Amino acid sequence: MIYSNVEELIAYGLKNKLIEKEDEIWARNSILALLNLPDNNNAAPYKGPLPDNPGEILSDISFYASENGLLEAATSTYREIFETSIMAVFTKRPSEVSKIFYDTWRDKGIKKATSEFYKYCRKIYYIKTDRVAKNITWKADTEYGKIDMTINLSKPEKDPKEIALQGKIKVSPNAYPKCMLCRENEGYAGRLNHPARQNLRIIPLKLNGKRWYFQYSPYVYYNEHSIVFAEDHRPMHISADTFKNLLDFVEQFPHYFIGSNADLPIVGGSILTHDHYQAGRYVFPMERAQSVKRFKVKKFPKVTFDIVCWPLSVLRVRGPKTQVAKASARVLEVWRKYDDKKVGIIHATGKTPHNTITPIARYKDGAYEMDLVLRNNRTSKEYPWGIFHSRPEYHNIKRENIGLIEALGMAILPGRLKNEMAQIGALIAAGKMEKMKDLSSLAQHYNWVMSFIGDYKGFKAEDVPDILLEEIGRTFVKVLGSCGVFKHDAEGKEAFLRFIYKI
């Protein structure tokens, strides 16, 4: 069977033009060497149907390697490392990939260049679309429009406290690579605590006169989900240069949005140790959100400012590139030192800062646009997870940090919800909700279910899955709202205006 697997993978490589006919013998021998096989056992060329991605073929091959003692240990991690080493055979050198990208950009435009690079990263199985396809996705109708919902089955749920601790870890000067975003990952063979990246390819860029790098995310959440990261290994930091970098990017990639996670624990993303942004070819719900109030600032006559109708506190700055950058920097400058104790906003505790911004840039309808999400990461005895964080009563659905993607309106919910909702649905359909309290995995959901189930009079058993999805969507919007520094009530609206007057 292993020889058939090898031939199928060779056929996949030929079909997808990862290798040429002249490369066939070399590629086969390279794979046989990894498998410690002396020959191909006179296996006939594969003639059957070929999959869209090589995931299942690679899984069969790595299972053989595991069963025959070719791996350091028979674990999923070492199997994945081995699979990546196989796909390295089919991956072009970085210089070739970069040249193709820039040649395509020059001859056919940036849209074509990113589209072709994205397809290539899928073919070489750096982007694992088959795994992402297992995620559960739907659209939730809310007062803010349709929200993108995802139950993520690809990654484990993360503890915000653990993320904060990871950000404080001092990396040894000799660590290699220093983190999963460093450029030294390109071609790295991987180890038990660091993924293999032999089929990773990155494209060098210039942003604001400095070297950055562009790559696609291996686990895509949306179309052409990409990462733009700094050349140096340095912590996340939002500054005036951040806005210049983001606007420089959308000037070069006008069909993309780009944004940055905030640079503080609780309100930041899962990786705070390396300055980076996320970009892609996708319209998020926040982009479709309308203005609640528009105003002008004398210092920036060519720029419009809008308070956006969104559960988080969002200020939209729109106008010429340079003016948008300067206006955004002014908002950041004011916000970093801003206090409003009436609504719980304190900018720092001693020398520990609390106020920061999650920025998102676009080029839209002939103008540059920057959405500035105001964030505060202060904690208290009542809210040790964060005052402007998901409330404890919503932790059954979402307790992780609200990062850039979720701020934009795409929920990334823990995979545990798949089985938990199936069990809850069965109990609701049977009218046995009380049993939830006796099950450790479901007890956390009991109060949540009882808070809404009475609103659905006369529902049928087949309606329950849709009811649960609808309520998860509503809860996610509440999670976003609890992260907003200015609430959508009279007090919050007045507080937002008080901040604006300081700009």
Side-chain angles (χ1 to χ4, degrees), residues 343 486-495:
V343 289
F486 301 120
K487 305 305 180 188
H488 285 271
D489 53 24
E491 183 182 43
K493 292 174 183 177
E494 289 177 6

Side-chain angles (χ1 to χ4, degrees), residues 221-222 225 257 261 278 284 402-412 476:
Y221 290 122
Y222 50 85
H225 181 181
F257 84 92
N261 275 301
Q278 294 188 70
F284 280 93
I402 295 300
L404 169 69
I405 295 173
E406 292 178 302
L408 283 162
M410 177 178 282
I412 303 170
F476 178 68

Side-chain angles (χ1 to χ4, degrees), residues 401-421:
N401 297 355
I402 295 300
L404 169 69
I405 295 173
E406 292 178 302
L408 283 162
M410 177 178 282
I412 303 170
L413 305 177
R416 60 178 171 81
L417 289 178
K418 178 184 178 181
N419 291 332
E420 290 171 3
M421 290 303 126

Side-chain angles (χ1 to χ4, degrees), residues 121-303:
C121 291
R122 292 175 64 174
K123 288 177 180 178
I124 59 175
Y125 205 53
Y126 180 73
I127 298 175
K128 298 175 174 60
T129 50
D130 55 332
R131 298 187 186 182
V132 177
K134 296 176 183 177
N135 291 343
I136 300 169
T137 63
W138 74 100
K139 301 278 186 181
D141 288 313
T142 77
E143 60 188 295
Y144 300 98
K146 289 188 181 294
I147 301 292
D148 298 331
M149 305 297 297
T150 302
I151 293 178
N152 179 17
L153 303 177
S154 303
K155 293 183 179 181
E157 185 174 15
K158 293 184 179 179
D159 188 323
K161 294 178 181 178
E162 183 181 341
I163 292 170
L165 289 173
Q166 288 174 348
K168 295 179 181 178
I169 294 174
K170 292 184 178 179
V171 178
S172 166
N174 299 321
Y176 187 89
K178 290 183 171 63
C179 78
M180 287 189 287
L181 291 180
C182 287
R183 60 184 296 234
E184 287 80 12
N185 281 280
E186 191 171 36
Y188 186 66
R191 56 181 188 268
L192 185 60
N193 62 346
H194 196 104
R197 291 289 185 256
Q198 286 163 300
N199 56 346
L200 164 65
R201 292 297 178 261
I202 61 179
I203 306 295
L205 297 175
K206 274 287 183 73
L207 299 180
N208 193 24
K210 295 183 179 178
R211 180 65 68 94
W212 286 70
Y213 293 92
F214 171 88
Q215 69 172 73
Y216 285 112
S217 171
Y219 299 105
V220 294
Y221 290 122
Y222 50 85
N223 187 44
E224 296 188 27
H225 181 181
S226 46
I227 299 169
V228 179
F229 60 95
E231 182 171 35
D232 301 325
H233 178 78
R234 61 172 188 259
M236 292 285 295
H237 182 58
I238 305 297
S239 68
D241 280 341
T242 302
F243 308 121
K244 293 177 183 178
N245 293 338
L246 299 181
L247 292 167
D248 249 15
F249 180 86
V250 294
E251 183 176 36
Q252 298 176 63
F253 294 67
H255 60 308
Y256 272 21
F257 84 92
I258 186 170
S260 174
N261 275 301
D263 52 358
L264 297 177
I266 297 176
V267 297
S270 59
I271 299 178
L272 297 174
T273 54
H274 196 121
D275 206 3
H276 71 284
Y277 313 132
Q278 294 188 70
R281 194 173 182 177
Y282 190 76
V283 176
F284 280 93
M286 182 193 284
E287 183 177 342
R288 296 191 292 267
Q290 301 299 306
S291 170
V292 173
K293 183 178 179 62
R294 175 165 293 181
F295 59 95
K296 301 281 286 187
V297 175
K298 288 183 179 180
K299 295 177 184 177
F300 311 102
K302 296 181 180 180
V303 170

Side-chain angles (χ1 to χ4, degrees), residues 7 81 96 148 151 203 217 235 285 294 299 302 317 336 347 367 369 374 392 394 400 407 440 472 474 498:
E7 292 306 314
I81 288 173
E96 294 179 75
D148 298 331
I151 293 178
I203 306 295
S217 171
R294 175 165 293 181
K299 295 177 184 177
K302 296 181 180 180
V317 183
R336 286 285 194 194
H347 81 277
E369 192 170 272
L374 306 178
Y394 309 139
E400 292 179 293
S440 59
I472 290 173
R474 290 180 178 178
R498 286 197 296 272

